[in-house]
Amino acid sequence: MIDLTQFYDIRFLIELGAFSLLAVIILGLSILTVYSRNIVHSGLYLLGSFAAVAALYISLNATFVGVAQVLVYIGAVGVLILFAIMLTRKTLMEEESHG
Amino acid sequence: MSGEMMAVDYYIPLIMFLIVGALVPIGALAAVKIISPQKSTLQKRSTYEGGLRPIREAIIQYNVQYYLFAIAFVIFDVEVLFLYPWIYVYASDAIPAVGGVSIAITGMLIFIVVLLIGLLYDIKKEALRWV
Amino acid sequence: MVLKNLKMTLKRSIGGVEVTRLYPEKIMDLPDAERGVHVLDIRKCIGCGACARICPNDCIKLVPYARGNPLKNKKQQYPQIDYGRCMFCGLCVDDCPANCLTMSKVFEIAGWERDDIVYGPEDIAVGQYNDQELAELAEEARKAEEEKKRKAAEAAKAKKAKAAKAKAAEEGEKGSGEKTAKKKAE
Amino acid sequence: MVLSAITEFAAQEPKIYGLVIGLVAAAILASIINVVAMLLVWLERKVMGDFQARYGPNRVGGRWGVLQLGADAVKLFTKEDVIPRGADKPVYVWAPIVAVATTMLVAGALPFGAVIIDGKEIPLVVANMDISAFYIEAALSIMAISAFMAGWSSNNKYSMLGAFRGIARMIAYEVPMGICVISVAVMAHSLNVVEIVQAQSVWFAIAQPLGFVIFAIALITDLGRMPFDQTEAEEEIIAGYNTEYSGIRFGLLYFQEYIVMLLGSILLVHLYLGGWNGPVIPVISFISPMIWFFMKLVIVLVALIWVRVSLPRFRIDQVTDLGWKILLPLSMVNLAWAVVVGLYFA
Amino acid sequence: MTTANDVLSALQSAFPGAVEEAKISPERQLWATIKPDKIVDVCKYLRDNHSFDHYSGAAGVDKIDEGLFEVTELLASHGAHQVVALLKVKTPRDDPSVKSLTGLYWNANWYEREIWEMLGINFEGHPELYPLLLCDELVGVWPWRKDFKGYPDYTTAERAIEMVTSDGYTEYSFPPTEAEIKAGTVPVDRPKYPTFREREEMEIEGESEMILHMGPQHAVVPGPFLLDILVDGERVKKAFLDVGYIHKGIEKIMENRTYTQGIPITDRLCYMAALTNNEAYCGAVERLLGIEAPERGQYIRMILEELSRIQSHLLGTGEFLTLIASAVYSPFLYMIIDREDVLSCIESVTGARINHSFVRFGGVRNDLPDGFKDMTLDTLKMIRQKTEEYKELFLSDSIYRKRMEGVGVLSPQEARRLGVSGPPLRASDTPYDMRREDPYLLYKDMDFEVITRKEGDSKARVEVRLDEILESCYIIEQCLDQIPSGPVMAEGVPKRIKPDPGEAYYRVEDHRGEMGFFVVSDGSDKPAKVKARGPVYAYFQALPPLLEGVYIADVVAIAGSMDACTSEVDR
């Protein structure tokens, strides 16, 4: 049974609010990543969604995983993606952005 | 209902830091919007390149050789990540010593040596040569 | 290694003195040879215009100056220097036949308008006459002028007299000398 | 009284307490950091003048030129906000904001000294989590992103080269820096900065001199200061990723550099120079840790300026070579050393 | 030792009839008029058989009375002998055309381009006859011609017509007015050629290549010039150089001034070398007049020129340091501080710190002041000590060495081929110094060493400069010991200089290399033609080939180690 009293617990509300906010951010940024017309914008949205995922991990009390997410996904994989974008052909980018 | 400090609670103030950190520049920009003059012309907004019209775009394709740096970075960054949890266990009794030799320490030393060998191999293959 | 560099800067920082001068308060010592704003010895200047002719930038112009030496020709003119164009080469100083143009150590000649840095003789002249001297000089000049006039008048008179004499002599030759003598007596 | 009430509340409602205290602390710290960073700019100009036999700022605000930065700030605020026509506007606008915001993330986890109350040392830190060193390390690695955003969005060749160099430099020094943090943590048996400070009965700079040198070099590189300021080498690429920024946007990016310099120096003091540790000064024992902390911080800052005025700049390929081929193997050697020495001392 | 006579007789026997007239004046300078169709053969013969491997420049003279253009090619040798050959080629004024020497001497390129754009002489066989100093609108007015009527007025902003290019940039054009076309100040039929930008764009090949402007407003450039580098990532593939942004037309200005008025204008060629420029110009006019300064005057000139060399090298080295370090780099400021003392020494004599305008025809402006000797000796002592410190710094610091060793290497052959002179040439193991090669003043009595280095890289160039500071200190000390008393100006120099018709070439060792003045007199009180052959012009020309294949950061190190001065290039 669902204990309805916990809905009135402010801590629960904060957690719920934080989770929904993060979920919205993650989903929104992910959608933007896919639909963005500019490949660099896509990359940056992806980084933002990584950051939100890190925040989600932390809010789930998995702090080490969250910080590791920041270090590896934003610090390393994100840089890898940005680097890769800089190494792509410009015409390719234009096709992406106009297509 | 008594709230014991959970690890996550330490991170909550940081959100406020992030917000304040974003508000400082936004406030400054808003203030500038109010006080500073706004007489933008096409000339004023042109790209600076030694005072001349740039030849072609700035965004070009860089040499693919540089990608090796990024890949090497990811590899080493992830491997360094493995070292962080180890800090907490290497001197504790979580991993027992066998025959007076700490497994945690020996294992990690071996790990470092393997990393080092990998790095030397990278250097020898000239993967980390700046072109 | 890089330590030598660090040592050098540290040495200069600890033992060193400030070399920069706080400019308007402290001005550096300038040598006597300094080529700054011109100085014109107004008593010596003969207004020949050699400075204006030698100037490579055409910045010297000759202008009349009321406080110049009235003893000399009234039409004498004195150099006016446009420091917006001057390049302080010193050729004018070298070329001055009367050695009346020199250069001083003054170098602060900024102004708000272009005309502010055109220095006329009143700005660069030294040995200017004060009012009394000027009056005396003017008096002298007047006297000299009068003297000149007087001399001229005298000369004219003498000439006239001479001419009259000559005429009389001529007339006397013709036998009318007595008549004129009589007229004079009357 | 009040203190105990607050601690009680904190124990009961840690999340609300966190939000409230976070907001207050962030606001206070943000203003303190901004003021200190401004003083730092002034200090840098003045100390640089001293090293170079000149005065530095000496007109605005009297002989010492203390109001020079106020004058500069007024100038930056009243300058027109110009966004170049070729720029990618959203990224261009967001870059300074991201830069300052991510910097503040670091500030939240750093202890700014400590005070002694009733013989008990209370570190002045907002978020004292158990892996704060790891967290700071991770937050520092985000800095390269804002530099990339600024450089890429400007659509300027100098900016582009600056952004590219910035990333290349960051990835060369991130790993040695991380390994140095691990070496320190190995000796302290903790990743918490406060505990690392408290564990330093002997300064880690003495216990691991190699690690100290590597970390200092990596830190200077991260800060982008001489001899590692290839991203802004004005003789080559004008101002790197800052080139197209002007007015207050440039001011923010410039200012952020000084904030990072301040925070980086604090990190160096904490990790290697014993933080606020020092003999208790009898009369003013309340703030004696603060005094030690500030003394060390000022020395580190002056040393950074000293290095800046004294050394020529490396070439970018030499920088990456130094990072990958020298510092990275050496940092691994240092880690092994830390393990062995740490065990021996433990 | 080869003398000018030997060269002349060899020429006459090898090419009978090719030498129309010839004279040797003064000793070591061979003036010869060569038949236009033989000039390339003669030069090839001289280069191959008499080691005239140094193409020193070319000067174009408009002889409007004779209906001729005269191009004088200046040839010399890198140390094999001391003869300077000045070969004149005449060409009719209505259809001027001369054979190009670019096939023989690589560095003839710029000199011939300059003569083409200024005089309109066509150089047959020149690979890229594009304007160098003039802007595109002015090509075709031929400003060095004596019947040149003046520039069209391109200065007023109202006349500019705005044009928006396809990529959204504004450009301006200045169409001539009817009145100007009538007055003849506008070129009517302009030569056709691809513009600088079009020539650059042709070179871009791959997707990863881009052209980066370094200049005209850039921290690397000592004055406005355009250095464009075609880069692939961080590597420079090709470099392009465009100069002329501050072209002042000093040579034309001097044609409209009297000889004396020309002296202060030579200061403005390059402020770092004002005294040596004075010396070169006054020396040339003294040769025309046939006078010589008294001994004391010559000593004073030497002392001041060596002091000036010290200050120039200090500033040059300091500027180089800021380029490989940053603008806040301290040793640069220390060098500036040291230089101030040297400038004070010079100022106490000349009265100016930068633009001295001190040398006169037949002597100097004034004598040394009291206490000059002590002051200078003190300063020199300080400079010596400081220079030793800087040298030690360069040798010991690992970052310097990483940045400079093996960067921008010029082999001796390459350096001679590119025509550089001064410290860059001497750093490439070629002891070529005018003070030894073509002694002027009293340098033949002085004991000094020509500093050379074997490596030919940026570091060697800086080291040569620092060593030359020490050598200059030694020369000044000798001069101060030996200086006799006496007058500083020669007797009987007329106030109004009017040399007999003729021409003279006089070259001195500038701080940066070979500085020569070629002066033609037509008997009036104004020179008919003045041509300044500056050392930096040659450095600039040699820069693009040096920059191929280096890193962007090395561009700065190489350009800085050349110690360039745009003012002199543009003149």
Side-chain angles (χ1 to χ4, degrees):
Chain A
M1 281 296 288
I2 300 164
D3 183 8
L4 285 176
T5 51
Q6 67 174 250
F7 280 108
Y8 305 105
D9 184 358
I10 188 144
R11 270 162 279 171
F12 177 78
L13 281 182
I14 290 176
E15 273 174 23
L16 187 68
F19 175 78
S20 9
L21 188 68
L22 286 173
V24 168
I25 291 174
I26 292 169
L27 285 177
L29 288 176
S30 307
I31 290 168
L32 282 172
T33 307
V34 178
Y35 283 100
S36 174
R37 282 170 166 255
N38 187 319
I39 190 167
V40 175
H41 290 186
S42 285
L44 291 171
Y45 287 134
L46 185 64
L47 292 190
S49 103
F50 282 159
V53 169
L56 188 66
Y57 281 141
I58 291 171
S59 78
L60 295 174
N61 218 3
T63 52
F64 185 83
V65 181
V67 178
Q69 166 91 7
V70 172
L71 186 76
V72 173
Y73 276 88
I74 302 179
V77 174
V79 164
L80 185 77
I81 288 169
L82 294 178
F83 229 78
I85 290 170
M86 288 176 101
L87 303 175
T88 48
R89 268 190 6 254
K90 196 176 151 272
T91 46
L92 187 77
M93 285 171 66
E94 273 166 0
E95 278 161 26
E96 293 268 331
S97 58
H98 296 304
Chain B
M1 295 301 280
S2 73
E4 75 273 29
M5 271 304 246
M6 290 199 296
V8 57
D9 296 337
Y10 290 107
Y11 291 84
I12 290 173
L14 293 174
I15 295 169
M16 285 297 153
F17 269 85
L18 191 65
I19 292 169
V20 169
L23 283 179
V24 168
I26 290 171
L29 286 170
V32 165
K33 196 123 199 158
I34 296 163
I35 17 181
S36 72
Q38 283 166 356
K39 281 180 223 150
S40 188
T41 61
L42 215 59
Q43 289 280 299
K44 210 185 267 179
R45 285 167 53 230
S46 58
T47 303
Y48 166 72
E49 204 180 313
L52 292 178
R53 185 152 67 93
I55 300 177
R56 305 213 180 170
E57 290 286 311
I59 298 162
I60 53 150
Q61 177 195 6
Y62 277 77
N63 198 321
V64 179
Q65 176 83 26
Y66 296 122
Y67 199 59
L68 293 177
F69 281 87
I71 291 178
F73 172 60
V74 172
I75 293 167
F76 281 97
D77 213 32
V78 171
E79 297 192 6
V80 165
L81 189 69
F82 294 150
L83 291 168
Y84 283 100
W86 165 73
I87 293 161
Y88 286 95
V89 294
Y90 93 102
S92 67
D93 302 330
I95 303 172
V98 176
V101 181
S102 164
I103 291 176
I105 291 170
T106 326
M108 198 42 71
L109 284 178
I110 290 169
F111 182 70
I112 293 172
V113 170
V114 171
L115 266 185
L116 209 54
I117 290 169
L119 178 66
L120 293 177
Y121 179 75
D122 249 14
I123 293 170
K124 193 172 168 287
K125 279 280 174 186
E126 296 212 321
L128 300 176
R129 192 173 56 87
W130 191 264
V131 284
Chain C
M1 285 298 279
V2 296
L3 296 176
K4 204 136 214 160
N5 256 324
L6 294 171
K7 201 179 117 200
M8 186 175 183
T9 38
L10 194 63
K11 213 171 82 191
R12 290 267 192 157
S13 170
I14 290 171
V17 285
E18 251 97 15
V19 179
T20 328
R21 276 172 290 271
L22 289 170
Y23 160 62
E25 291 94 22
K26 285 181 198 155
I27 293 177
M28 71 182 294
D29 299 327
L30 296 173
D32 296 335
E34 183 66 27
R35 299 206 303 257
V37 170
H38 294 79
V39 174
L40 175 73
D41 192 338
I42 203 111
R43 299 186 189 218
K44 280 194 205 158
C45 183
I46 54 171
C48 61
C51 46
R53 278 194 298 281
I54 195 74
C55 182
N57 278 1
D58 261 358
C59 65
I60 303 184
K61 220 171 101 184
L62 287 182
V63 294
Y65 179 43
R67 298 183 80 89
N69 190 345
L71 265 181
K72 292 182 184 147
N73 189 349
K74 266 186 183 162
K75 281 179 187 157
Q76 185 185 335
Q77 294 187 324
Y78 296 89
Q80 176 201 49
I81 301 171
D82 179 358
Y83 283 104
R85 299 170 69 104
C86 180
M87 55 180 180
F88 299 93
C89 60
L91 284 183
C92 46
V93 175
D94 292 1
D95 231 41
C96 183
N99 285 334
C100 65
L101 202 60
T102 47
M103 286 173 123
S104 67
K105 295 184 191 179
V106 179
F107 59 89
E108 293 161 308
I109 41 174
W112 292 105
E113 307 264 326
R114 274 167 193 273
D115 289 345
D116 292 353
I117 50 172
V118 177
Y119 281 20
E122 67 277 11
D123 299 314
I124 58 169
V126 290
Q128 296 220 25
Y129 303 100
N130 56 32
D131 289 346
Q132 197 190 334
E133 269 179 319
L134 213 56
E136 277 169 18
L137 276 172
E139 182 67 20
E140 214 172 292
R142 199 177 52 76
K143 273 182 189 159
E145 191 87 345
E146 268 174 22
E147 184 78 3
K148 215 170 162 188
K149 266 186 191 161
R150 198 175 56 78
K151 270 186 183 159
E154 246 170 39
K157 226 175 179 178
K159 208 175 171 187
K160 221 173 168 183
K162 216 176 177 180
K165 221 175 176 180
K167 211 176 174 184
E170 210 173 276
E171 272 174 19
E173 265 173 32
K174 281 175 185 168
S176 58
E178 283 162 36
K179 265 182 194 170
T180 45
K182 262 179 190 171
K183 266 182 189 169
K184 256 190 178 170
E186 277 170 22
Chain D
M1 270 295 286
V2 183
L3 208 68
S4 62
I6 290 175
T7 33
E8 201 176 313
F9 176 72
Q12 280 185 354
E13 300 289 349
K15 290 192 174 62
I16 302 169
Y17 171 75
L19 282 177
V20 173
I21 201 78
L23 189 61
V24 174
I28 295 172
L29 252 182
S31 32
I32 291 177
I33 286 176
N34 285 3
V35 170
V36 174
M38 272 174 105
L39 283 175
L40 183 56
V41 179
W42 174 81
L43 180 81
E44 166 146 56
R45 291 173 65 173
K46 210 69 197 168
V47 172
M48 250 161 49
D50 197 36
F51 277 118
Q52 297 171 347
R54 58 193 178 83
Y55 288 101
N58 59 50
R59 297 284 151 168
V60 191
R63 167 72 181 77
W64 294 90
V66 276
L67 294 183
Q68 182 66 49
L69 284 155
D72 288 353
V74 168
K75 189 201 78 173
L76 287 178
F77 270 98
T78 48
K79 272 186 91 165
E80 185 180 338
D81 184 21
V82 178
I83 297 178
R85 138 159 69 93
D88 186 309
K89 207 170 163 190
V91 182
Y92 180 88
V93 169
W94 272 94
I97 300 172
V98 170
V100 177
T102 49
T103 314
M104 287 303 285
L105 274 182
V106 181
L110 263 185
F112 292 84
V115 289
I116 296 179
I117 297 173
D118 300 339
K120 231 179 97 189
E121 203 177 67
I122 299 175
L124 298 175
V125 53
V126 180
N128 189 16
M129 56 272 224
D130 50 356
I131 51 168
S132 55
F134 180 38
Y135 168 81
I136 291 167
E137 169 74 13
L140 276 175
S141 75
I142 310 179
M143 304 278 168
I145 306 288
S146 61
F148 171 81
M149 284 168 72
W152 180 83
S153 67
S154 297
N155 194 16
N156 177 313
K157 287 167 192 162
Y158 305 126
S159 306
M160 201 66 187
L161 280 169
F164 192 74
R165 284 179 178 192
I167 291 185
R169 198 182 59 185
M170 189 277 276
I171 64 179
Y173 285 79
E174 199 63 34
V175 180
M177 201 170 173
I179 295 180
C180 280
V181 171
I182 291 171
S183 315
V184 168
V186 159
M187 271 195 179
H189 297 293
S190 170
L191 269 170
N192 184 322
V193 176
V194 174
E195 282 170 25
I196 288 175
V197 171
Q198 283 159 350
Q200 292 183 53
S201 50
V202 179
W203 287 5
F204 286 152
I206 294 162
Q208 343 175 336
L210 185 62
F212 176 61
V213 172
I214 294 169
F215 188 82
I217 292 175
L219 187 70
I220 296 174
T221 320
D222 239 27
L223 304 179
R225 294 175 61 83
M226 281 305 244
F228 297 101
D229 69 339
Q230 291 78 17
T231 49
E232 298 160 52
E234 69 248 54
E235 283 75 20
E236 298 154 29
I237 51 172
I238 308 293
Y241 57 83
N242 286 340
T243 306
E244 284 295 341
Y245 281 85
S246 64
I248 191 69
R249 289 181 205 274
F250 167 74
L252 286 169
L253 282 174
Y254 179 77
F255 207 56
Q256 184 253 354
E257 276 173 29
Y258 281 88
I259 298 177
V260 180
M261 178 183 170
L262 182 71
L263 300 179
S265 309
I266 292 174
L267 186 64
L268 183 71
V269 169
H270 285 331
L271 292 190
Y272 284 95
L273 300 177
W276 52 83
N277 290 347
V280 176
I281 305 165
V283 188
I284 41 167
S285 64
F286 169 63
I287 50 162
S288 88
M290 288 305 270
I291 291 172
W292 289 112
F293 172 64
F294 269 111
M295 269 171 58
K296 288 172 189 174
L297 180 61
V298 168
I299 288 171
V300 168
L301 289 173
V302 171
L304 281 177
I305 300 168
W306 177 27
V307 168
R308 182 180 175 197
V309 295
S310 310
L311 297 185
R313 180 188 301 126
F314 279 108
R315 211 166 55 201
I316 182 70
D317 65 313
Q318 290 162 350
V319 172
T320 51
D321 274 6
L322 181 66
W324 283 106
K325 296 179 183 168
I326 297 170
L327 293 191
L328 183 52
L330 280 183
S331 67
M332 289 177 181
V333 170
N334 179 58
L335 177 57
W337 160 267
V339 170
V340 172
V341 172
L343 265 196
Y344 178 77
F345 280 116
Chain E
M1 205 69 192
T2 318
T3 62
N5 252 326
D6 298 348
V7 178
L8 180 58
S9 49
L11 258 188
Q12 273 161 342
S13 58
F15 297 95
V19 182
E20 283 173 349
E21 46 183 300
K23 65 167 180 181
I24 292 166
S25 111
E27 174 201 20
R28 291 203 299 267
Q29 283 196 359
L30 166 66
W31 300 80
T33 310
I34 309 288
K35 279 203 168 139
D37 52 338
K38 284 280 187 340
I39 179 72
V40 177
D41 297 336
V42 167
C43 288
K44 191 167 163 42
Y45 170 77
L46 284 180
R47 187 190 71 173
D48 294 343
N49 299 350
H50 291 272
S51 53
F52 278 93
D53 51 354
H54 176 43
Y55 182 84
S56 179
V61 186
D62 182 5
K63 302 229 157 166
I64 194 164
D65 304 334
E66 302 166 34
L68 287 174
F69 283 132
E70 237 177 49
V71 176
T72 308
E73 315 273 5
L74 313 172
L75 303 181
S77 164
H78 278 121
H81 54 76
Q82 301 181 335
V83 183
V84 181
L86 297 108
L87 308 178
K88 280 190 273 188
V89 185
K90 291 182 175 163
T91 177
R93 239 174 148 268
D94 36 13
D95 181 24
S97 183
V98 174
K99 284 197 172 127
S100 166
L101 291 187
T102 42
L104 294 176
Y105 300 102
W106 179 86
N107 61 328
N109 190 329
W110 273 27
Y111 296 97
E112 293 182 352
R113 264 166 86 177
E114 190 186 351
I115 293 175
W116 169 73
E117 67 181 340
M118 296 295 184
L119 274 175
I121 300 176
N122 182 37
F123 282 88
E124 289 165 41
H126 192 289
E128 34 174 18
L129 220 46
Y130 311 126
L132 179 70
L133 296 168
L134 293 184
C135 60
D136 290 335
E137 284 90 351
L138 287 182
V139 176
V141 296
W142 317 128
W144 278 1
R145 289 192 183 180
K146 289 283 176 190
D147 54 359
F148 167 62
K149 294 193 184 71
Y151 289 116
D153 181 18
Y154 285 141
T155 52
T156 46
E158 293 86 54
R159 282 192 53 183
I161 289 182
E162 240 179 69
M163 228 170 26
V164 178
T165 56
S166 56
D167 47 350
Y169 283 84
T170 353
E171 287 207 330
Y172 296 95
S173 63
F174 301 84
T177 59
E178 285 293 317
E180 279 169 356
I181 294 171
K182 221 176 241 175
T185 56
V186 176
V188 187
D189 48 344
R190 208 170 269 168
K192 292 275 177 292
Y193 54 86
T195 62
F196 184 69
R197 205 185 157 87
E198 286 161 1
R199 299 202 298 272
E200 274 178 344
E201 277 176 343
M202 274 185 254
E203 300 278 345
I204 307 179
E205 281 165 2
E207 278 283 345
S208 60
E209 293 177 358
M210 67 176 178
I211 286 184
L212 191 66
H213 292 311
M214 286 183 130
Q217 290 173 23
H218 190 287
V220 68
V221 295
F225 69 84
L226 176 59
L227 177 62
D228 278 0
I229 47 178
L230 175 63
V231 290
D232 183 356
E234 288 272 339
R235 283 276 188 189
V236 179
K237 281 186 76 181
K238 201 166 163 55
F240 312 88
L241 200 58
D242 192 18
V243 293
Y245 283 83
I246 49 167
H247 188 251
K248 301 173 283 289
I250 279 186
E251 287 152 347
K252 186 79 182 175
I253 291 174
M254 286 170 78
E255 286 175 27
N256 295 309
R257 298 281 188 280
T258 60
Y259 283 94
T260 320
Q261 285 176 344
I263 297 173
I265 294 172
T266 56
D267 285 354
R268 272 75 188 169
L269 274 181
C270 174
Y271 72 88
M272 298 266 281
L275 275 164
T276 34
N277 295 339
N278 285 175
E279 169 69 37
Y281 175 62
C282 291
V285 177
E286 277 169 8
R287 268 194 192 159
L288 275 177
L289 289 168
I291 53 173
E292 205 174 50
E295 211 166 307
R296 188 174 171 84
Q298 298 204 21
Y299 269 107
I300 294 177
R301 282 188 189 184
M302 270 199 291
I303 292 169
L304 291 177
E305 278 156 31
E306 292 304 320
L307 277 173
S308 167
R309 189 184 309 278
I310 292 174
Q311 62 89 8
S312 170
H313 280 348
L314 278 173
L315 185 59
T317 316
E319 269 180 6
F320 168 68
L321 291 183
T322 65
L323 291 181
I324 62 165
S326 76
V328 295
Y329 184 58
S330 300
F332 162 61
L333 288 135
Y334 301 157
M335 287 182 186
I336 296 277
I337 291 167
D338 302 342
R339 176 175 174 260
E340 285 300 305
D341 288 353
V342 182
L343 284 182
S344 290
C345 283
I346 303 178
E347 191 193 19
S348 72
V349 187
T350 65
R353 287 182 96 77
I354 301 286
N355 292 316
H356 308 289
S357 145
F358 183 68
V359 183
R360 294 286 182 273
F361 308 129
V364 292
R365 193 164 174 262
N366 49 273
D367 207 342
L368 301 176
D370 297 336
F372 175 78
K373 187 174 175 182
D374 297 337
M375 180 183 176
T376 311
L377 286 178
D378 285 352
T379 311
L380 289 184
K381 200 175 148 205
M382 184 274 292
I383 292 284
R384 260 174 203 277
Q385 183 209 333
K386 291 282 164 63
T387 310
E388 295 287 355
E389 245 176 67
Y390 298 138
K391 266 177 75 179
E392 215 181 307
L393 200 70
F394 272 99
L395 288 177
S396 68
D397 193 297
S398 48
I399 305 181
Y400 283 131
R401 297 178 59 154
K402 276 195 160 163
R403 282 304 300 276
M404 301 189 303
E405 277 179 357
V407 170
V409 179
L410 265 177
S411 66
Q413 295 77 25
E414 188 69 4
R416 292 174 195 195
R417 189 176 76 88
L418 298 182
V420 297
S421 57
L425 183 62
R426 291 196 282 275
S428 299
D429 203 16
T430 308
Y432 187 61
D433 188 327
M434 290 311 131
R435 294 174 291 183
R436 273 283 147 75
E437 270 329 298
D438 197 353
Y440 56 101
L441 296 179
L442 295 168
Y443 278 114
K444 54 185 180 298
D445 303 341
M446 291 293 134
D447 171 34
F448 68 96
E449 207 180 313
V450 177
I451 309 290
T452 53
R453 281 284 183 285
K454 291 230 164 15
E455 300 86 2
D457 54 6
S458 294
K459 181 159 173 274
R461 292 194 270 274
V462 176
E463 274 179 7
V464 164
R465 288 206 181 86
L466 287 175
D467 273 349
E468 278 185 9
I469 292 175
L470 297 178
E471 214 57 38
S472 290
C473 291
Y474 181 47
I475 296 177
I476 297 167
E477 280 162 4
Q478 289 176 58
C479 289
L480 286 171
D481 276 347
Q482 297 168 10
I483 186 165
S485 55
V488 295
M489 274 294 279
E491 295 284 318
V493 181
K495 270 224 148 139
R496 200 171 150 82
I497 308 278
K498 256 178 132 175
D500 297 331
E503 57 239 303
Y505 182 61
Y506 186 79
R507 50 184 192 158
V508 301
E509 183 67 22
D510 195 337
H511 320 143
R512 299 191 174 89
E514 178 187 347
M515 178 82 206
F517 259 91
F518 177 78
V519 182
V520 180
S521 161
D522 56 0
S524 72
D525 62 345
K526 289 173 181 169
K529 171 75 197 163
V530 178
K531 164 78 191 162
R533 185 264 179 229
V536 188
Y537 198 72
Y539 294 177
F540 266 54
Q541 194 179 359
L543 209 48
L546 255 180
L547 295 180
E548 272 167 32
V550 301
Y551 289 106
I552 292 178
D554 288 341
V555 171
V556 179
I558 294 168
S561 71
M562 287 292 189
D563 187 11
C565 168
T566 326
S567 175
E568 190 214 87
V569 177
D570 286 356
R571 296 192 298 283

